[in-house]
Amino acid sequence: MLVLIPMLGLTPHGGNRVLVQIANEFVRRGHTCRILTPRPTERFPFWLDPRVEIVSVGPTLTWKPLRWLAFLLAIPGRSRAADCLVVSHFLTALPARLMERFWRHSVVYIVQDIEYRFFRRPTRWLAQALCRWTWGARFVIPANEYLALELQRLGAAPQPPLQLGVDPFFLEPRAMAGRPQFDVVCLLRRERHKRSDRLLALADLLVGRGVSVLCICQDRELWNAHQHRFSALARPGSDAELRDAFDSARLLVLTSDHEGFALPPLECMARGLPSVLFPCGGAEVYARDDHNCVIVRDESIDTAARAIIALLADSARYARLSQHAQETARRYDMSVAARDFVDRCSNWAGGTLAG
């Protein structure tokens, strides 16, 4: 079976990590898998099986919207011979859904977020309309139970959800000895729902109160603008470097106000790090307040700072949350989710081709 996975870029975020795991599982099962991506092609920080081919599509353009448009227009021509097309963004789902009527291949749409929420007016209404239309595809799989309920609430009829989880690599025993170097690790991202404003204000409070904060940031502009606000910054270039960064801290802070899933808290749980987070939707599939994390319900920066300092000072409570965090992470194994996804794709593609 030939499987194509169009991706808008090879950026290091959780949604792409999921697609990489799925691509790796396809080739492990003996299928041919190609990732389509617009030029220029960045280098993946995630491990990709060498049997997965990365194909650059379209001209080299600096303006991202035009580059994406050229890429989306090229997808139909590149997908004619595919048996299965796996999409995970409403923009890549648009041409895929249009092709369903003309070509005999399965289109499988894994929904990792309600993406129109990230658009501002006046484009938000258009994004919402396009999202709703793509959710009408035959094989729509929510990434978790939270997204399944959200899609149903919005009028879609998805397939049973996956249960995304962590790469088993993050479940390996910690190799670092001694006390972690930093109290807190956080991730600085540009997207509005990641709430960099909240993170920066919280970092100022924590550093001012003697709490050491390691910031993981892949955005060079953000790095240059805000590096003075943190105790240290890291830009991991691989899963091993990311895991080492997590291992160098005692707990994770996540400041997002919306997440379809939120992979970093679960990866940190696998390393024994409890999280302090704000209510954000998808993370609460696995996050339980005062069991494996602390959830700041009133969304106050000062409350969050006090909660972090209190948890760092209470060794018994910290040990309890850390133990429960690791137990939680072991129940969310991405390799199991990838096998489930590939099994479904194989069955659906076989039925489509036979029909």
Side-chain angles (χ1 to χ4, degrees):
M1 182 170 71
L2 172 59
V3 181
L4 298 185
I5 305 179
M7 300 171 60
L8 294 173
L10 304 184
T11 50
H13 60 73
N16 277 352
R17 180 185 289 281
V18 170
L19 293 178
V20 166
Q21 292 275 51
I22 287 170
N24 290 340
E25 184 64 25
F26 271 117
V27 296
R28 276 196 288 267
R29 300 287 193 90
H31 301 296
T32 300
C33 185
R34 295 175 187 152
I35 292 175
L36 306 181
T37 183
R39 292 187 176 92
T41 299
E42 307 94 335
R43 184 185 175 192
F44 255 137
F46 312 130
W47 184 81
L48 185 66
D49 192 299
R51 291 171 292 180
V52 178
E53 183 181 358
I54 297 179
V55 180
S56 299
V57 176
T60 301
L61 300 168
T62 56
W63 192 40
K64 184 183 290 185
L66 190 57
R67 185 167 74 241
W68 282 0
L69 178 60
F71 174 65
L72 297 176
L73 291 175
I75 288 177
R78 292 279 186 163
S79 306
R80 191 181 297 271
D83 301 309
C84 182
L85 195 64
V86 176
V87 296
S88 69
H89 192 286
F90 81 95
L91 290 178
T92 53
L94 284 171
R97 177 120 200 257
L98 287 169
M99 291 185 296
E100 277 186 310
R101 302 189 178 198
F102 303 105
W103 295 341
R104 295 179 62 197
H105 60 219
S106 294
V107 175
V108 184
Y109 182 8
I110 175 172
V111 177
Q112 299 196 58
D113 218 326
I114 310 300
E115 292 157 332
Y116 71 79
R117 291 173 173 166
F118 308 143
F119 286 75
R120 300 176 187 267
R121 293 175 180 171
T123 55
R124 182 176 174 127
W125 69 268
L126 177 60
Q128 183 173 1
L130 294 176
C131 279
R132 288 179 179 273
W133 186 74
T134 57
W135 295 337
R138 184 178 177 190
F139 303 126
V140 174
I141 306 180
N144 57 23
E145 297 90 341
Y146 164 75
L147 289 168
L149 292 173
E150 286 290 282
L151 289 174
Q152 291 167 7
R153 185 179 64 80
L154 293 166
Q159 300 287 332
L162 294 173
Q163 181 170 279
L164 294 187
V166 294
D167 188 318
F169 175 80
F170 286 89
L171 293 167
E172 294 176 4
R174 292 179 70 136
M176 297 181 66
R179 183 179 175 85
Q181 183 179 357
F182 302 99
D183 295 314
V184 171
V185 62
C186 61
L187 294 93
L188 181 61
R189 295 279 298 274
R190 187 174 295 275
E191 296 89 339
R192 275 192 309 142
H193 64 286
K194 302 295 185 181
R195 292 297 303 271
S196 62
D197 60 324
R198 181 187 275 169
L199 175 58
L200 295 172
L202 181 56
D204 288 343
L205 267 181
L206 291 173
V207 173
R209 297 178 186 180
V211 177
S212 57
V213 181
L214 170 66
C215 177
I216 295 174
C217 180
Q218 299 288 352
D219 188 311
R220 180 62 67 180
E221 290 184 12
L222 287 178
W223 176 300
N224 291 334
H226 301 294
Q227 57 181 319
H228 64 282
R229 310 175 85 143
F230 300 96
S231 307
L233 283 95
R235 195 180 185 190
S238 66
D239 282 342
E241 291 179 5
L242 178 62
R243 190 176 70 176
D244 286 347
F246 290 155
D247 284 353
S248 71
R250 296 187 63 198
L251 59 85
L252 171 78
V253 170
L254 186 79
T255 56
S256 302
D257 60 17
H258 173 78
E259 293 281 354
F261 180 66
L263 191 55
L266 198 57
E267 290 173 338
C268 283
M269 286 182 179
R271 309 308 298 159
L273 278 69
S275 296
V276 175
L277 63 156
F278 296 81
C280 59
E284 292 178 70
V285 167
Y286 57 83
R288 299 288 181 270
D289 186 29
D290 203 35
H291 176 73
N292 54 22
C293 69
V294 175
I295 300 177
V296 184
R297 296 290 182 188
D298 68 1
E299 303 191 37
S300 160
I301 299 297
D302 193 59
T303 301
R306 290 199 305 270
I308 290 165
I309 293 169
L311 180 56
L312 291 171
D314 188 339
S315 58
R317 186 183 180 215
Y318 178 90
R320 174 172 59 83
L321 266 61
S322 176
Q323 179 183 345
H324 291 161
Q326 288 184 301
E327 293 170 355
T328 298
R330 293 190 192 103
R331 297 197 297 270
Y332 291 85
D333 187 333
M334 184 58 207
S335 61
V336 174
R339 289 195 294 270
D340 177 21
F341 184 84
V342 171
D343 284 342
R344 296 198 214 181
C345 289
S346 300
N347 292 335
W348 290 334
T352 301
L353 294 170

